Amino acid sequence: MPTSRLNIQATSGKQYIYSFTEGGAEGDATMKNLLGGKGANLAEMANIGLPVPPGFTLSTEVCTYYYDHSQTYPEGLFEQDIPDALEKIETALGKKFGDPEDPLLVSVRSGARASMPGMMDTILNLGLNDTTVEGLAHRSGNPRFAWDCYRRFVQMYGDVVMDLKPQDSKHSDPFESILDEHKKKKGCSLDTQLDTDDLKAIVSAFKAAILERTGQEFPEDPHVQLQGAIGAVFGSWNNERAIVYRKLNHIPGYWGTACNVQAMVFGNMGDRSGTGVAFTRDAATGENIFYGEYLMNAQGEDVVAGTRTPLKIRHLQEEKPDIYQQLDCIRTRLEQHYRDMMDIEFTIENDRLFMLQCRVGKRTGLAAIRIAYDMCKEGLIDEKEALLRIEPDQLNQLLRPVFDQKEKDRAISEGRLLATGLNAGPGAATGSICFSARQAQEVKERGQLAILVRIETSPEDIEGMSLAEGILTERGGMTSHAALVARQMGKVCVAGCGELDIDYQKGEMRIEGTDIVLKEGDSISLDGTTGEVIQGEIKTRNPEVIEVLADKTLKPEDAPTWQIFDQVMQWADHYRTLKVRTNADQPEQAELAVTFGAEGIGLCRTEHMFFGGQRIDAMREMILADDIGDRQKALEKLLPYQRDDFYGLFKAMGSRPVTIRLLDPPLHEFLPQEDAEIEALAKKIGMAFHDVKTRIDNLHEFNPMLGLRGCRLGILHPEIPAMQVRAIIEAACIIKKEGHDIIPEIMVPLVSTVRELELTSEIIHKVARRVMAEQEIGVTYLVGTMIEVPRAALTSGDIAKAADFFSYGTNDLTQMGLGMSRDDSGQFLPVYQNYDIFPHNPFESLDQEGIGRLIKLSAKEGRSVKSDLKLGICGEHGGDPATIEFCHTTGINYVSCSPFRIPIARLAAARAAIG
Ligand code: ADP
Ligand code: MG
Ligand code: MG
């Protein structure tokens, strides 16, 4: 191949390949889009002088080209560019690719912009064949090592490039079964116990299997091997598990992957060699300790595969102090350089350390907060950066339940502690045992909680993992696939629980050394913080932050996690400009929201106040009344309840603003549907069963969402808003007399024309004036409207003339804007998502292109009429970080969300302000 090179043009001027050698690289860490995360960081590590084996990166543009040109490559790539880049490695190391005496071997590694652990394929020891293996054996003086490399290479190549896979899920991996057969024959259990002759026999058996099953010979030519491996890496971008992973993590397909070709270093040369992975801080708790695992005489994925149990990094400190020292320096160096917690992969070849990968480490929410806080205190990053380091949703992990310690202690004293594994993903989870993703899905569909229990997880399991509350594995370490993915998903995980003996066929698991057998569907509890696996259910309890803030059962000074949380929240409040309110309609809810940092109530849904006890009877009486007189009487019964409700709410909120929405839902929602209930109601209010039934039937609507509801109710029955306004203003007057200033914000729902708002406002003002005269005190109040009908958004200039504020009701605005009922969308949205029709569920995260555009237009028009028009948003979207960012940039004044989302919203608002 090299002979023809001179005649062929290099790839038309465009740079597709970026080389790196220790001390210098053509790329750097900023070039992730082009070089992928792995390639960019290999280049960066080379640039800062860390020991990186030389290599080169085929950029993501090769991948894009490959898919744009029916899986072909830019002209000249294999003829010129790759041989040139290989030559640089050859020069650096003084070895030649394919040389029978002293062959250069390479790894071929995928690496996209975002890390996708284990999703795509890596091939090691490429360049070995029947001739070069002898050269390697001779050079290294270690034939066993050479054949071990060859065995691994043929296996990986056969699997990844030649696609020799298990026939179906019942069959085992063809290579693994050959390997097991030989081990059995030999009477050993570990690969490391196989000798050269065994390995030679295994290699032949592998090749024979490849030929038999694929009809193709294993390629001996290293250049053919290289081309095959590169093709497989680009091909793996679109394998099924990569696609599933991308979907779950919102990684677009057009990014493509880069491909790294790198000189091999060998961790499998014997007892002075090894390989490992580590985090520069604890990825589960965030603690500033070096955290990692390694295996001596091992290569590649051996550490994470879970077949041999790796050793803790502190053991390396005793076993190889020099190497540990060097590694620890690199740890500090990398943290200083990247100013973040890093995840590293290293290999020791005959007592020499090499760095093979580094990337910003994935971490739990708890660790994210702790690391951001610590690094800020250490001066590595500033407050703004610290805030940007915490994903708002990660705060959930601090607000989520943990096991009730008493319950747990009792379970343990009852002998229900089954086993203890590695505490790979913190938190508490209880659910039914599922041995497969499919089972987990079934359990979820039945509305129950699932715990996925696997011998070890593979990328095929990610869907099941995402459905499960927790994940339990028999094998694998802290950095195993299960552990990594679980932490990223924020799932509870106990890994490497060797005492389990799982049998998928029988659908059961035994606990070694006992006669306990657990079946699929049995309930089990996992403590991901301690690694304990407990039989049966255990009650959960509130976490530290909730105990301090809500329950007040823990003192702040005794709550270190709360202290960090509190500091981070204070930073967030300092930087954000968007206000955060809560959706609440009960005083306790409002109080809780205030402890979480709510600055007001953005939405009080008054309909929730009409349920329960005697109120619902009065409400029903009001609805069923057939003349104004009767209706008035029923409303008078309701008035004191409403006034008390508002009084409680105002009191809980102090001087913070409270937005109260007038009655919105269609009236039939308050009425009983069953005959027995109707009968009972009729008796209670002294009406005939048939009259009640007829009245209920008359209220039936074909499409209640678009029927008699919202401001229409008040326009038809002005006495309803009149009663509500009276209750609001009376409560405000009482509060005012008690010496507090409260400005109620009365909000009219479902307005689509300014006239509707004007008519309703007239009622509001008339009643308010009358109440203030009666009470002989004046209170300030605002009258505004929801913008939740597209017509209102489009005519906001007019509507603003009659409104003191707008609140975007994004639930209805989304439903009406898309012509899609949220409650029915479960049938089709999953399919929609498969077709990428919406990038996100539009009921969870605002459809910014469409509904967002309505909001922007409305905000602009409204403010052009009234420059100080107050704008807020009160749909479910108010707690969604992406929507919050949108609100910040649109100039909305506040978002409103449920109490538990408030910390998340505060952080999201700060991050939006920092930008
Ligand atoms: P992943 O993207 O799944 O992390 P990698 O490309 O990092 O896959 O490859 C997996 C493992 O293979 C690495 O952690 C490392 O142990 C091993 N490996 C990759 N390249 C080399 C190399 N050039 N020399 C020695 N080992 C390598
Ligand atoms: Mg890989
Ligand atoms: Mg890796």
Side-chain angles (χ1 to χ4, degrees):
M1 203 167 281
T3 46
S4 60
R5 268 166 56 194
L6 292 176
N7 311 330
I8 293 179
Q9 285 252 300
T11 46
S12 62
K14 191 171 183 131
Q15 187 173 0
Y16 282 111
I17 292 190
Y18 295 78
S19 291
F20 53 88
T21 44
E22 193 175 334
E26 291 173 350
D28 62 50
T30 64
M31 294 163 71
K32 284 204 179 70
N33 293 0
L34 200 58
L35 304 182
K38 198 181 288 169
N41 285 328
L42 281 168
E44 189 79 9
M45 286 198 292
N47 284 332
I48 63 172
L50 299 187
V52 177
F56 57 87
T57 305
L58 298 163
S59 78
T60 52
E61 288 176 351
V62 179
C63 187
T64 338
Y65 185 103
Y66 179 80
Y67 283 109
D68 287 349
H69 295 80
S70 43
Q71 317 208 348
T72 58
Y73 298 96
E75 211 181 296
L77 188 76
F78 280 95
E79 294 75 12
Q80 177 91 42
D81 300 21
I82 290 179
D84 280 353
L86 263 179
E87 205 175 289
K88 288 189 194 156
I89 308 180
E90 292 173 335
T91 312
L93 298 179
K95 289 175 193 246
K96 281 208 164 314
F97 192 55
D99 182 357
E101 305 289 321
D102 188 12
L104 166 70
L105 303 188
V106 296
S107 63
V108 178
R109 323 169 61 188
S110 60
R113 264 193 229 186
S115 99
M116 297 168 58
M119 288 305 121
M120 292 181 292
D121 303 312
T122 291
I123 293 164
L124 306 180
N125 310 323
L126 188 139
L128 281 176
N129 55 31
D130 292 347
T131 320
T132 55
V133 71
E134 296 300 345
L136 183 66
H138 190 246
R139 273 282 158 164
S140 62
N142 187 344
R144 189 205 170 272
F145 150 74
W147 281 91
D148 183 49
C149 290
Y150 197 18
R151 188 279 293 173
R152 290 166 186 270
F153 172 49
V154 177
Q155 178 167 358
M156 280 185 256
Y157 199 89
D159 169 21
V160 169
V161 184
M162 306 190 76
D163 209 27
L164 193 58
K165 298 265 172 0
Q167 283 155 320
D168 53 52
S169 58
K170 280 201 205 71
H171 287 77
S172 55
D173 180 280
F175 296 110
E176 288 300 334
S177 40
I178 294 173
L179 206 55
D180 284 343
E181 225 172 80
H182 279 79
K183 282 192 211 158
K184 216 174 267 165
K185 231 191 298 175
K186 175 111 186 168
C188 67
S189 62
L190 295 175
D191 300 359
T192 41
Q193 294 164 322
L194 296 167
D195 64 21
T196 312
D197 287 334
D198 300 324
L199 294 166
K200 282 185 181 173
I202 291 169
V203 167
S204 313
F206 280 0
K207 287 185 172 181
I210 292 175
L211 181 61
E212 187 195 306
R213 295 267 301 276
T214 69
Q216 283 180 306
E217 294 273 3
F218 172 80
E220 292 282 316
D221 180 344
H223 290 278
V224 174
Q225 295 172 353
L226 184 59
Q227 184 152 0
I230 291 172
V233 163
F234 290 131
S236 71
W237 177 249
N238 275 335
N239 72 27
E240 207 164 308
R241 55 181 207 243
I243 291 172
V244 171
Y245 185 92
R246 283 208 295 275
K247 194 146 276 166
L248 276 173
N249 291 280
H250 307 294
I251 298 172
Y254 69 83
W255 279 4
T257 182
C259 174
N260 303 288
V261 177
Q262 186 178 25
M264 284 300 300
V265 286
F266 302 101
N268 55 336
M269 272 199 167
D271 295 338
R272 287 165 53 223
S273 305
T275 177
V277 295
F279 291 93
T280 57
R281 301 188 185 209
D282 188 322
T285 65
E287 217 181 320
N288 189 0
I289 49 165
F290 198 13
Y291 201 93
E293 292 171 324
Y294 71 102
L295 267 181
M296 295 312 277
N297 198 9
Q299 189 176 58
E301 312 270 63
D302 289 359
V303 193
V304 293
T307 33
R308 273 198 276 159
T309 302
L311 298 170
K312 292 261 175 294
I313 203 97
R314 68 180 126 69
H315 196 76
L316 185 69
Q317 194 169 11
E318 294 151 30
E319 200 175 2
K320 299 220 165 280
D322 291 352
I323 298 278
Y324 180 84
Q325 195 54 39
Q326 206 184 336
L327 202 56
D328 199 37
C329 286
I330 290 177
R331 167 196 178 215
T332 313
R333 183 80 211 281
L334 284 173
E335 280 211 344
Q336 296 287 338
H337 187 73
Y338 283 91
R339 299 178 306 113
D340 206 342
M341 187 273 272
M342 305 299 287
D343 169 352
I344 61 177
E345 298 181 0
F346 61 91
T347 280
I348 305 160
E349 176 182 308
N350 285 329
D351 289 334
R352 260 186 81 189
L353 177 66
F354 292 93
M355 297 301 295
L356 290 175
Q357 191 171 330
C358 82
R359 63 186 162 206
V360 169
K362 299 247 156 74
R363 62 203 75 179
T364 63
L366 181 63
I369 293 158
R370 174 134 186 207
I371 290 170
Y373 173 87
D374 284 349
M375 286 195 165
C376 186
K377 297 281 164 184
E378 288 160 27
L380 274 178
I381 55 176
D382 60 16
E383 291 172 7
K384 288 185 187 175
E385 184 63 35
L387 293 169
L388 293 177
R389 292 282 173 85
I390 308 163
E391 288 296 330
D393 278 324
Q394 287 183 316
L395 291 176
N396 264 332
Q397 289 179 35
L398 268 68
L399 306 171
R400 252 196 342 217
V402 293
F403 283 133
D404 183 306
Q405 192 61 41
K406 277 203 203 100
E407 286 267 326
K408 196 176 126 183
D409 290 347
R410 201 181 60 214
I412 291 174
S413 71
E414 287 168 2
R416 281 157 55 197
L417 176 63
L418 296 172
T420 304
L422 299 168
N423 52 336
T430 284
S432 348
I433 295 178
C434 300
F435 291 116
S436 66
R438 194 166 36 82
Q439 175 75 15
Q441 178 140 23
E442 282 169 23
V443 166
K444 287 296 277 190
E445 274 163 13
R446 269 184 265 132
Q448 296 164 341
L449 304 177
I451 303 286
L452 186 68
V453 181
R454 301 285 294 167
I455 297 175
E456 55 196 309
T457 67
S458 71
E460 279 80 12
D461 292 319
I462 43 177
E463 253 175 337
M465 296 173 77
S466 78
L467 291 171
E469 301 304 304
I471 296 136
L472 171 64
T473 68
E474 182 180 325
R475 294 192 206 149
M478 288 298 277
T479 48
S480 64
H481 177 266
L484 277 178
V485 177
R487 279 200 293 271
Q488 192 187 342
M489 290 179 174
K491 298 280 175 183
V492 175
C493 179
V494 175
C497 195
E499 294 136 282
L500 308 182
D501 186 2
I502 299 169
D503 187 333
Y504 293 144
Q505 242 85 44
K506 287 196 191 142
E508 62 178 42
M509 116 180 144
R510 296 176 175 278
I511 312 300
E512 275 173 18
T514 72
D515 47 17
I516 301 173
V517 184
L518 291 153
K519 302 241 175 253
E520 194 146 52
D522 288 354
S523 60
I524 193 171
S525 300
L526 304 182
D527 189 333
T529 314
T530 59
E532 290 158 304
V533 181
I534 298 160
Q535 191 170 9
E537 275 177 40
I538 297 180
K539 266 210 217 102
T540 50
R541 176 179 69 65
N542 282 339
E544 209 181 282
V545 171
I546 303 291
E547 287 194 322
V548 174
L549 285 181
D551 307 345
K552 306 202 165 41
T553 48
L554 191 64
K555 289 201 202 89
E557 58 271 28
D558 299 331
T561 309
W562 177 82
Q563 288 165 16
I564 293 177
F565 169 84
D566 186 52
Q567 176 66 79
V568 167
M569 283 295 114
Q570 284 182 31
W571 290 338
D573 291 345
H574 178 75
Y575 290 103
R576 74 188 159 93
T577 52
L578 192 65
K579 298 244 183 264
V580 178
R581 296 194 189 181
T582 192
N583 298 349
D585 38 54
Q586 276 149 16
E588 309 80 63
Q589 225 178 16
E591 267 165 41
L592 178 66
V594 169
T595 62
F596 280 140
E599 296 168 287
I601 290 181
L603 176 63
C604 163
R605 296 179 171 92
T606 50
E607 53 270 22
H608 292 179
M609 300 172 160
F610 292 117
F611 286 100
Q614 297 172 329
R615 312 167 164 224
I616 187 69
D617 292 338
M619 183 66 183
R620 287 170 169 171
E621 206 178 316
M622 187 277 286
I623 296 168
L624 297 170
D626 37 30
D627 61 44
I628 285 239
D630 285 352
R631 184 166 301 120
Q632 284 289 17
K633 253 187 252 151
L635 283 166
E636 269 156 37
K637 289 188 199 161
L638 283 169
L639 176 69
Y641 293 124
Q642 283 261 281
R643 189 177 47 222
D644 286 354
D645 288 338
F646 296 132
Y647 175 82
L649 216 50
F650 294 159
K651 191 120 188 169
M653 294 309 288
S655 55
R656 298 173 187 85
V658 176
T659 304
I660 297 157
R661 178 177 71 184
L662 299 179
L663 191 64
D664 181 26
L667 296 178
H668 80 95
E669 281 191 12
F670 297 95
L671 298 175
Q673 304 301 325
E674 304 286 323
D675 277 357
E677 287 176 285
I678 296 174
E679 180 96 58
L681 174 66
K683 210 173 270 162
K684 243 188 232 169
I685 59 176
M687 275 176 81
F689 170 80
H690 268 285
D691 292 344
V692 176
K693 186 137 171 93
T694 317
R695 187 85 179 96
I696 292 176
D697 288 344
N698 289 345
L699 281 169
H700 172 80
E701 290 177 314
F702 289 104
N703 196 339
M705 189 177 100
L706 305 175
L708 179 59
R709 56 166 286 210
C711 63
R712 293 163 207 170
L713 269 175
I715 289 169
L716 261 71
H717 307 295
E719 56 283 4
I720 300 176
M723 181 279 289
Q724 291 200 288
V725 172
R726 172 168 281 278
I728 295 168
I729 302 295
E730 283 184 358
C733 290
I734 302 173
I735 292 272
K736 180 113 187 229
K737 286 177 188 164
E738 290 175 2
H740 300 286
D741 248 333
I742 167 90
I743 305 181
E745 303 179 347
I746 301 170
M747 181 156 79
V748 183
L750 213 75
V751 159
S752 62
T753 79
V754 66
R755 193 69 196 120
E756 288 170 314
L757 181 58
E758 285 168 350
L759 281 171
T760 314
S761 296
E762 276 169 31
I763 304 167
I764 295 171
H765 291 309
K766 204 166 88 192
V767 176
R769 273 196 300 268
R770 192 180 308 144
V771 173
M772 290 188 287
E774 288 164 13
Q775 299 283 329
E776 299 179 325
I777 192 165
V779 292
T780 314
Y781 62 94
L782 307 179
V783 178
T785 181
M786 304 270 284
I787 301 287
E788 54 186 335
V789 178
R791 191 186 191 283
L794 295 169
T795 58
S796 288
D798 287 332
I799 294 178
K801 289 178 200 146
D804 298 320
F805 63 90
F806 284 174
S807 178
Y808 295 100
T810 48
N811 292 346
D812 266 324
L813 194 57
T814 302
Q815 298 201 89
M816 304 213 195
L818 301 179
M820 184 184 282
S821 142
R822 179 181 57 176
D823 300 331
D824 299 307
S825 65
Q827 296 178 52
F828 46 82
L829 265 188
V831 180
Y832 262 48
Q833 243 139 7
N834 283 338
Y835 284 111
D836 278 333
I837 294 176
F838 296 115
H840 306 280
N841 178 337
F843 296 109
E844 284 167 9
S845 189
L846 187 76
D847 159 38
Q848 296 187 18
E849 277 164 41
I851 306 304
R853 192 150 166 216
L854 279 173
I855 293 176
K856 276 191 177 147
L857 183 134
S858 157
K860 193 166 152 231
E861 288 222 349
R863 289 244 170 94
S864 72
V865 172
K866 248 185 210 153
S867 60
D868 60 346
L869 186 69
K870 205 174 355 170
L871 302 177
I873 136 169
C874 65
E876 292 303 309
H877 304 87
D880 167 63
T883 309
I884 290 169
E885 191 183 334
F886 167 86
C887 290
H888 173 84
T889 51
T890 308
I892 304 284
N893 300 94
Y894 68 85
V895 296
S896 190
C897 56
S898 69
F900 278 87
R901 297 292 299 177
I902 287 169
I904 294 160
R906 286 159 77 192
L907 177 58
R911 286 162 52 101
I914 294 165

